[in-house]
Amino acid sequence: LKDKNGVYLIKRLLEQARNGGGFVTYIWDKPGKGDTAKLSYAQMIPGTDFWIGTGVYIDNIEAVKAQISTDINAKVKTLTIRMIVISGLIFLGIAALCLIIVFGIGSSLSAMIVNFEDVDKGEGDLTKRIKINSRDELETLGEMFNLFMEKLQKIIQQLSGDSKNIDSSST
């Protein structure tokens, strides 16, 4: 049995089967489509002199391949859009978080500056303290400044007391 191109398909399939299995391409009449390229595979059945073969029309493979390609492209498009949306949301979340942090630090720093100015303009009033409304490094800085002011106030009070003692002693 040979096709239009002179390929002896049964002989070739038997050869492929005896050589460990293989493919043969030939032309065959496809019902409703006419002569169409076909791809067949043959292999020996172990322990026997028999072989088995199967075949598929190439245009069926191309149709399935085109459908798979279309499905994959649709999935890739969907997943790409989803990935872009998720990335955008993550970016917006990070940007919002950064703005919150920046404005939080900025407002705490502004409050710290206002408190320092109050102490500075307090005409030497060592009882003034910085009001702390945050829970960060600026809070630590404010607490340290307040401790410094307390120590300075105690030193000034001690010097004042010593000065009175010296004044009364000199009198």
Side-chain angles (χ1 to χ4, degrees):
L1 182 63
K2 67 180 180 177
D3 72 354
K4 289 174 98 176
N5 296 332
V7 176
Y8 289 96
L9 56 120
I10 301 299
K11 284 183 183 179
R12 295 282 314 277
L13 286 169
L14 178 59
E15 287 172 14
Q16 291 294 347
R18 286 184 177 158
N19 290 331
F23 294 96
V24 176
T25 305
Y26 54 95
I27 303 297
W28 196 256
D29 183 37
K30 182 177 182 181
K33 300 279 184 166
D35 291 341
T36 306
K38 191 169 185 178
L39 177 67
S40 290
Y41 181 82
Q43 184 166 344
M44 295 299 292
I45 298 173
T48 70
D49 290 333
F50 296 104
W51 57 277
I52 189 167
T54 187
V56 65
Y57 290 100
I58 301 289
D59 64 343
N60 289 353
I61 294 172
E62 293 300 323
V64 170
K65 188 171 92 175
Q67 182 61 45
I68 290 171
S69 179
T70 302
D71 292 346
I72 288 173
N73 288 338
K75 281 278 191 196
V76 166
K77 184 177 180 182
T78 302
L79 292 175
T80 300
I81 290 170
R82 186 179 299 165
M83 183 178 64
I84 289 170
V85 168
I86 290 171
S87 297
L89 291 173
I90 290 171
F91 174 76
L92 289 175
I94 290 171
L97 183 64
C98 288
L99 287 174
I100 289 169
I101 291 170
V102 166
F103 285 123
I105 290 172
S107 65
S108 294
L109 203 51
S110 294
M112 185 72 70
I113 289 171
V114 167
N115 285 318
F116 274 124
E117 286 174 346
D118 283 348
V119 170
D120 178 48
K121 292 177 184 173
E123 308 274 333
D125 183 3
L126 299 177
T127 61
K128 287 234 176 200
R129 297 292 183 262
I130 292 179
K131 296 168 193 83
I132 302 160
N133 296 327
S134 65
R135 293 179 180 253
D136 54 13
E137 290 80 8
L138 293 174
E139 175 187 30
T140 306
L141 179 64
E143 288 173 352
M144 294 173 101
F145 180 80
N146 288 341
L147 285 173
F148 170 74
M149 290 300 284
E150 278 182 39
K151 288 180 182 178
L152 187 61
Q153 185 179 11
K154 287 178 184 173
I155 289 171
I156 298 285
Q157 286 173 347
Q158 185 178 358
L159 284 175
S160 175
D162 290 347
S163 160
K164 286 181 185 175
N165 286 343
I166 290 174
D167 186 40
S168 65
S169 293
S170 68
T171 303

